[in-house]
């Protein structure tokens, strides 16, 4: 009985061990069909090696020169390094970055007003002086603070020395402290 | 091949020992000497820039073969896509008939081995190249490609069968 073709191929490659290789060797002496198959494998190997290959020595010298060039010697390995991360972790990191990005963008787009400050001092004549610092954007808080302090002899508004100020409509502060126009 | 830790092996020893086999594998996949040179160059650069040392010269060889095989097949695939695109374009423009002399010259320069290998599916082609040109045994091929020795045996046989068919058609 003839061995399987795969076994013949493995025998031709010298991959079969003792009892099997001996049996096939004996079989090949009496079976022309299997011997022809082995010959076919031999012919294939000869065919595959029939065309000339380029000279390796020349290529080897050229490639060695480029590999030993200074730019490869001093090239940083850090940038070429690849890191593999599990997909769920990558997704969580991406969501986190998007949320942080949105929060940051929101803070930049809508500047947060600094809280109002009240400094209380008494001058030589015994008068109480209140220095209230409040952001221009947050007039509501300033008005509320003024209302909380009761009545004043004198109110001085000091506008920021830096930056440009445009007059646009009727200032909210004036409207708030002005007389009631509808009642006039 | 001596089994020695690649951290102890100098790049020069690895280069001298493995260049020839790596270049031959690349050449048999891409079928072009200049491209094979580029692929081999890039594979050694990758080894040069690798941070972790490989355990020994054999493992270094398997690693380099994997790298050069993947790069070479990627190049071949790209080349095939370009060829298909070119053929489509060629169909749209008038083609002048070739003279008898041109046809003979083309047939002469046609590389039968390269053409036959190109017709093999990738999984069969690579085992046959490693067997016939790199002189590797089934265990080494299996270790390089991450498949069992039994699988290598089947693939080598199928590659031979397929190649015989191709040769009958071509010749």
């Amino acid at each position: 009985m003839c061995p399987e073709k795969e076994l013949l191929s493995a025998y031709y490659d010298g991959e079969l061990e003792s009892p099997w290789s001996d049996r096939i060797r004996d079989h090949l002496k009496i079976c022309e069909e299997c011997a022809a198959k082995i010959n076919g494998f031999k012919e294939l190997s000869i065919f595959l090696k029939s065309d000339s290959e380029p000279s390796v020595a020349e290529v080897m010298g050229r490639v060695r020169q480029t590999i030993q060039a200074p730019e490869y010697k001093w090239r940083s390995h850090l940038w070429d390094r690849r890191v593999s991360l599990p997909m769920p972790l990558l997704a969580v990191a991406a969501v986190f970055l998007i949320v942080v990005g949105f929060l940051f963008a929101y803070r930049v787009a809508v500047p947060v007003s600094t809280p109002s400050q009240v400094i209380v001092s008494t001058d030589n004549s015994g008068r109480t002086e209140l220095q209230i610092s409040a952001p221009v954007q947050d007039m509501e808080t300033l008005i509320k603070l003024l209302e909380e302090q009761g009545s004043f002899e004198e109110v001085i508004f000091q506008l920021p020395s830096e930056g440009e100020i445009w007059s646009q409509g009727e200032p909210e502060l004036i409207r708030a402290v002005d007389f009631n126009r509808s009642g006039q | 091949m001596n089994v020695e830790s690649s951290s102890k092996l100098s790049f020069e020893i690895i280069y001298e020992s493995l260049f020839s086999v790596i270049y031959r594998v690349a050449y048999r996949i891409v079928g072009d000497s200049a491209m094979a040179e580029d692929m081999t160059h890039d594979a050694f650069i990758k080894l040069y820039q690798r941070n972790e040392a490989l355990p020994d010269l054999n493992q270094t060889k398997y690693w380099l073969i994997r790298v050069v095989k993947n790069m070479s097949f990627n190049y071949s695939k790209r080349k095939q896509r370009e060829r298909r695109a070119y053929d489509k374009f060629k169909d749209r423009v008038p083609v002048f008939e070739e003279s008898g002399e041109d046809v003979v010259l083309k047939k002469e320069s046609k590389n039968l081995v390269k053409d036959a290998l190109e017709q093999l599916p990738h999984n069969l082609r690579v085992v046959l190249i490693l067997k016939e040109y790199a002189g590797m045994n089934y265990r080494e091929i299996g270790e390089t490609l991450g498949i069992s020795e039994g699988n290598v045996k089947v693939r080598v046989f199928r590659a031979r069968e397929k190649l015989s068919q191709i040769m009958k058609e071509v010749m």
Side-chain angles (χ1 to χ4, degrees), chain A residues 7-175:
Chain A
L7 271 182
L8 285 176
S9 169
Y11 170 80
Y12 171 71
D13 288 328
E15 295 282 346
L16 289 188
E17 290 193 5
S18 190
W20 298 105
S21 59
D22 296 341
R23 279 182 203 179
I24 289 180
R25 195 183 306 116
D26 293 342
H27 176 78
L28 288 173
K29 286 173 191 166
I30 53 162
C31 180
E32 283 183 17
E33 204 182 325
C34 289
K37 276 173 194 150
I38 295 286
N39 263 338
F41 297 146
K42 248 181 227 169
E43 280 170 14
L44 267 183
S45 295
I46 293 166
F47 166 72
L48 287 172
K49 284 158 192 165
S50 62
D51 69 332
S52 57
E53 279 183 1
S55 158
V56 178
E58 201 182 311
V59 182
M60 210 168 160
R62 266 203 306 271
V63 174
R64 183 191 276 115
Q65 275 181 347
T66 55
I67 289 175
Q68 288 174 344
E71 63 262 36
Y72 287 123
K73 283 194 170 174
W74 299 107
R75 201 167 150 184
S76 164
H77 291 195
L78 193 65
W79 293 107
D80 300 320
R81 206 163 176 179
R82 290 183 183 188
V83 179
S84 61
L85 288 173
M87 193 54 102
L89 185 66
L90 210 63
V92 169
V95 169
F96 176 76
L97 282 175
I98 289 168
V99 170
V100 168
F102 268 115
L103 287 174
F104 180 74
Y106 181 77
R107 277 189 75 92
V108 169
V110 184
V112 178
S113 54
T114 48
S116 302
Q117 277 187 333
V118 180
I119 300 167
V120 183
S121 58
T122 311
D123 64 4
N124 295 336
S125 57
R127 286 191 308 177
T128 307
E129 189 180 314
L130 293 177
Q131 280 184 15
I132 302 170
S133 315
V136 181
Q137 297 93 337
D138 193 11
M139 282 297 109
E140 293 285 339
T141 312
L142 181 60
I143 292 162
K144 208 174 166 187
L145 271 170
L146 287 170
E147 280 172 354
E148 281 170 6
Q149 305 306 322
S151 57
F152 293 95
E153 281 180 18
E154 193 179 11
V155 177
I156 301 166
F157 287 101
Q158 198 172 357
L159 293 168
S161 55
E162 288 176 5
E164 290 178 42
I165 294 165
W166 291 278
S167 126
Q168 189 178 25
E170 196 173 21
E172 197 179 347
L173 191 64
I174 293 173
R175 258 191 286 129

